[in-house]
Amino acid sequence: MNFLEEVILKEGQALSDKVLKVDSFLNHQVDPDVMRKVGEEFARRFKGTGITKILTIESSGIAPAVMAGLELGVKVIFARKRKSLTQNEDLLTANVYSFTKEEKNEISVSKKWLTAGENVLIIDDFLAHGEAALGLAHLVEAAGANVAGFGIVIEKSFQSGREKLLKKGYRVESLARVASLSNGSITFTRQTEE
Ligand code: G4P
Ligand code: NA
Ligand code: NA
């Protein structure tokens, strides 16, 4: 079991057979020590692949993305779910369908911070059905930049996100892969490559 799986077992709660609550370190309160280790692990896995920028999405992707950016020595940009008052530059946008909310949301980044030729690592807190992940990849490609891969803190391996991303040829590195949340107990996929 890796460090993150240990934290998830200790602090996480299976709210249902589909939803994992981890608001003690990731989704509400943020544990800087855990996030530092997460950032180090993303950096270790993507070192040597020529990452020039990290893209994430507000709000829970920002903490792990910033720690990875610190380790890799690159800037971090987060896609917004709502337009900012000061966001008067040209925007790149993508539509993201939310399975939980059953609605489409537009996400956006300024063209100023995501430009052609960049090699972008996309980081997010959760990978579920992969809709947000695909929307982020769309932003990168619309900018004329390359998707170097995905760094996911917690993947729900029983949902379709990983498969969708692999099918499109993307590299997916998930630090914890949850196999099941059934009966209130959290289990991980056997591997979790170190
Ligand atoms: P899904 O239907 O594919 O599961 O994803 P959806 O777009 O509906 O996800 C809505 C929000 O719920 C996202 O955060 C996503 O990261 C998060 N999420 C999905 N599955 C889980 C889970 O099992 N546990 C937790 N804690 N979160 C999950 P968001 O609304 O963008 O919130 P935030 O990033 O501002 O925290
Ligand atoms: Na989230
Ligand atoms: Na997220």
Side-chain angles (χ1 to χ4, degrees):
M1 195 177 309
N2 68 33
F3 78 96
L4 183 62
E5 292 169 336
E6 281 175 22
V7 175
I8 292 168
L9 279 191
K10 189 156 160 252
E11 303 187 12
Q13 194 189 346
L15 282 191
S16 69
D17 60 1
K18 290 196 179 64
V19 178
L20 174 65
K21 183 166 177 160
V22 283
D23 67 349
S24 68
F25 68 94
L26 183 59
N27 289 136
H28 193 25
Q29 176 171 260
V30 173
D31 186 329
D33 188 50
V34 174
M35 287 305 118
R36 181 172 47 78
K37 290 182 186 144
V38 162
E40 286 169 355
E41 182 58 21
F42 282 141
R44 193 183 70 75
R45 296 190 190 199
F46 284 94
K47 203 166 40 189
T49 66
I51 304 297
T52 63
K53 187 155 285 187
I54 292 172
L55 172 66
T56 188
I57 181 163
E58 63 176 342
S59 56
S60 300
I62 296 174
V66 167
M67 296 314 278
L70 193 60
E71 289 295 320
L72 287 166
V74 300
K75 297 280 204 291
V76 177
I77 180 171
F78 61 90
R80 290 184 184 275
K81 294 171 185 162
R82 287 202 240 153
K83 299 230 164 73
S84 144
L85 259 186
T86 62
Q87 212 169 36
N88 55 358
E89 307 93 359
D90 278 349
L91 298 177
L92 295 161
T93 63
N95 280 314
V96 170
Y97 179 76
S98 168
F99 280 90
T100 44
K101 292 169 194 150
E102 296 183 345
E103 63 183 25
K104 257 191 184 176
N105 291 110
E106 192 176 67
I107 64 169
S108 61
V109 293
S110 166
K111 286 182 179 169
K112 192 172 169 186
W113 308 122
L114 191 59
T115 53
E118 302 233 54
N119 192 35
V120 182
L121 169 59
I122 297 173
I123 287 185
D124 209 355
D125 57 339
F126 269 90
L127 177 61
H129 296 96
E131 296 298 316
L134 288 171
L136 291 169
H138 178 85
L139 295 178
V140 171
E141 285 158 3
N146 179 59
V147 177
F150 288 84
I152 302 297
V153 183
I154 304 174
E155 170 191 307
K156 292 191 287 183
S157 306
F158 55 87
Q159 293 179 334
S160 61
R162 180 189 187 84
E163 228 168 282
K164 279 187 202 164
L165 298 180
L166 293 180
K167 201 181 277 178
K168 294 203 168 242
Y170 297 123
R171 177 177 173 190
V172 180
E173 294 289 342
S174 304
L175 304 194
R177 300 186 62 201
V178 176
S180 169
L181 296 169
S182 296
N183 307 314
S185 84
I186 304 164
T187 59
F188 299 100
T189 61
R190 187 78 42 93
Q191 50 77 60
T192 308
E193 66 287 359
E194 285 299 310

